[in-house]
Amino acid sequence: MNGEMTETWAAAGSPAEHLTAGQPGPRAFGKSVALAGRTGKLSLVSVGPGTLELVPERARRALQEAEVIVAYDLYLKWVRPLLGTQEILTPPLTQEKYRAELAIQKAREGYRVALVSSGDIGIYAMAGLVFEDLPVEPGSPESDFEVEVIPGITSATACASLLGSPLTHDFATLSLSDLLCPWEWIEHRARHIAQADLACVLYNVQSKTRQEGVYRVLRLMLQHKGPDTVCGVVRNAYREDQEVRVTTLGELLDQSFDMLTTIVIGNRFTTRKGRWMYTPRGYNDWQAGAETPDASARAPEASALPNGAVWVFAGTRDGSALAVQLAEAGEQVVLSVASDLGARVAPSHPNLSLYSGPGGMEARRRALTGARAVVDATHPYAVAITAQVQTLAAELRLPYLRYERPSALPDDRSGIHLVPDFEAAARAASAYSRVFLATGSKDLDTFMRAAPGAEVFVRLTPQPQVIERALDLGIHPANLCAMVGPFTREFNAAQWRAWNIGAVVTKDSGDEGGFPAKLAAARDLGVPLIVVQRPPAVSGAMHDARDVLAAVNQL
C-alpha cells in the first residue's frame, strides 16, 4: 500500500497516550518552548514501498538530520537503522490529521521535523493534509518554518516493477476507499478509465467493511475491456510475505484481496510473457482503432456481419451445435467464440458467420448493431460473460435467450463431495496428496493458492498461453496434459491410475462436459469426486436446444 491507508482515515481527537508526558496538544501552535528564536523545518519524507534499499538518499538525510520524527510506527520498520536519538512520535494509523497537526506544531516550535509516509507522501498520503493545515504559505515572510517535500517510490511503480512493465504507456490510479470520496465518484472515474482503455492501478482495494466495491469496479471495467485483459496482483510489495501474480480481468472476479493488495489492470495491448506482463511503448506501431495487437487479422468489422442475425455466444461444444441447428433451420447466425482455439474448431455452415473479435462491452456493443436476438449458450460457470451479454441485450433492446446444458448430477451421490466454490474444493482436496483438476484453467490460480500443499495435475486445452500460465503458477510439466475433451470413462481411469491420483476436482459440466465419464472413472478407482456446484441459473434458462429453436422461431 502506498502512503497512508486512507480507508482508516479519521480526524479524531488527540490521544495523549501516544505522546510523551507533558506534550502540548495539537492546536497549541504558538512557540511556547525554549527554541523560540530558531526557525524550524518540516520535511515531508517518503520512504518507499517497504525496504531500506529503496529509501531515497535525500529521505535518508532528512531522517538522520531530524530532531523529531512523526510517523505511523509501521512506516518506521524498514528505516530503523537510520534513526538515532530523535524524539519519535507515533500516533496510530487512524490519526492522520492529528499526525499532520503534530508535525506542524513541532516545526513551529523550531524543531527539524520529519513527517514520514510509505510510498510517496504526496500520493494518497500525508502531504495534502499538511498543506491544508499550514497557517501561511510556506516560504513567505510570515512563515516561521521551512517546508520541503521529498518524493519516493509509489505503490504503483513498486508493484509495476515486480510485474514487469505494465505502465509503459498512459495510465491512471484510482483509490477504492469511499471514506474521503463518494462511491458514485469512484464508479464514475472507473467507468471513464475503462472507456479510455487506460492501464490503471487500484489502491485501497478491499477492506473488511468494504468487500463488494472492488467487484463493482471490475464489472465496470469488463464493460469496456475484454475478460482476457492481462492484469497483475501484488500484495505486500517489497515487504515480508510478498505475493505477486499475473492473471486476467475476468479471473479477478473470483479472487479476494485486502488493504495490502494493489491491482494493476492493463490495456488492450498489455501482454503476458512468462511470469511478466508489459504494455508496449507504442507510438509508432499501434494501429488506430485496433482492439488487440492482432485484431485486424482475425476480427471482422461489424459491417461485415449479416444484419438481422441471431447471435449465439458459445465457447462450448453444445453451444456451437445449437448455432448449427439454428443455421439449418434457415436463420442467419453469428457464432461468437471466446478464443483462437474456439475459432479453429468452430463449425461451418452457409448461414453461419464466425465472430472471434475482441471482447469487452464496447467492442461487443458495436458488433451487435443490427442483431435480431441474442442466445447465450456460454458455459454454466461463465458468470462474467453471461452478465455482460444480459446487460448488452437489455441496453440494445434485443431478445435474450439463455441456453444452459442440463446438470448431470445423479440421484445417487455416492463418491461425490459437493462444494460451493473453488476455495472449498481446494480445502477438501488438501487431504489428498495428489489431486487432479478437471476444471480447466480459469480457476487454477485460486486452487493453487488455497491448496499449497497438494501436488496438482491438470488437463487443459492445447493453447500456448493457457499452458504457459499453468507452468508459471507452478504446475510441473510432467503433471500437465493438453488435449481437447470430452474424454471417455476408460481414458479418465487410465490417466488417473497412471498418475496415482487420490482425488479429482471437477465442475457439474453436464453430459456435454463429460461429467458422467468422470464420475464413472472415479468410482472405478475408488477416489472421491469433488464437484464445485453451479452458480444459480439465469431466470428462464432453457435446457433443451429444441426449446431455444422454438423460441427463436416465435420472435
Side-chain angles (χ1 to χ4, degrees), residues 408 438 459 486-494 496 504 506 509-525 529:
R459 193 164 59 200
F487 303 94
T488 65
R489 171 181 184 172
E490 294 75 17
F491 184 95
N492 287 329
W496 300 343
V504 176
T506 189
S509 51
D511 289 347
E512 284 291 333
F515 182 84
K518 296 171 192 172
L519 176 58
R523 286 175 170 171
D524 289 345
L525 299 178
L529 190 69

Side-chain angles (χ1 to χ4, degrees), residues 55 117 127 180 228 244 284 297 342 381 413 463 517:
V55 177
S117 178
L180 300 181
D228 56 349
V244 182
N284 295 323
Y381 292 78
R413 302 291 173 86
Q463 301 176 85

